[in-house]
Amino acid sequence: MAKKSKQYQTALKQVDVTKAYSVEEAVALVKEIDFAKFDATVEVAYRLGVDPKKADQQIRGAVVLPNGTGKTQRVLVFAKGEKAKEAEAAGADYVGESDLVQKISGGWFDFDVIVATPDMMGEVGRLGRVLGPKGLMPNPKTGTVTMDVTKAVNEIKAGKVTYRVDKAGNVQAPIGKVSFSTDKLIENFKTINDTMLKVKPSSAKGQYIKNITVTTTFGPGVKVDQSSL
């Protein structure tokens, strides 16, 4: 295991690792002990009682945070005709067809999210090997394969985040920046939590949410008391 920095060790000493803090205490604490020299991202992590190997327990989706993420997402839209015009009007950073497919194939990745209309997925599918590993492939479950490109672009620009359970049953998502007020971070946190509860698979057995932790980019995790959410 990699040795933690002195700054991390100092921050960790301020966390009672045996305690589950209220959401208010946890968010305030991670802000207080953050030591990054930039405006670090605040993230939440869920350990869920699901089996990702089962198709009906592969939790994946997207949610728009009421206070955004603190990051402006660069949106690329694969569309043509009127839908391309709609995407441009909505504020998409890049709009195109096969020209963008070729550009990405050549190693260009100056964007954060891809949206595609269903009729463009045949072209976009050719990029599966390069987009898949980066988590950039458009997907209907996250609202990025749609004919309503205006709504998709607007939501992403407003602070839409995607989430996906990993092989170990964990889900991570950003809820803002350290510079956000505690109230705004808590509101975003509760929005994520409500979403996690709504997407609980009916086939999941036993305790669904096993653990919730909030942390910053470099800081230690702080366990959160579920009942406070």
Side-chain angles (χ1 to χ4, degrees), residues 61-138:
V63 58
V64 178
L65 301 180
N67 300 302
T69 63
K71 178 184 177 183
T72 301
Q73 300 274 55
R74 298 166 297 173
V75 184
L76 182 154
V77 178
F78 283 106
K80 52 190 174 184
E82 287 301 313
K83 290 299 172 183
K85 293 178 183 177
E86 286 179 25
E88 289 173 352
D93 298 274
Y94 309 100
V95 182
E97 302 177 45
S98 57
D99 55 323
L100 289 181
V101 171
Q102 291 176 354
K103 198 171 179 181
I104 293 169
S105 295
W108 176 73
F109 290 99
D110 291 343
F111 52 86
D112 302 298
V113 184
I114 296 178
V115 174
T117 53
D119 59 320
M120 289 300 301
M121 285 307 292
E123 292 250 17
V124 180
R126 290 159 45 196
L127 297 170
R129 288 185 179 179
V130 292
L131 295 180
K134 293 179 179 291
L136 291 168
M137 195 68 182

Side-chain angles (χ1 to χ4, degrees), residues 166-193:
D166 64 18
K167 293 178 180 179
N170 302 310
V171 170
Q172 289 181 284
I175 57 169
K177 297 286 186 178
V178 170
S179 61
F180 280 26
S181 69
T182 299
D183 288 344
K184 285 187 175 181
L185 287 170
I186 290 172
E187 189 177 7
N188 281 351
F189 195 160
K190 288 184 175 180
T191 299
I192 291 282
N193 193 70

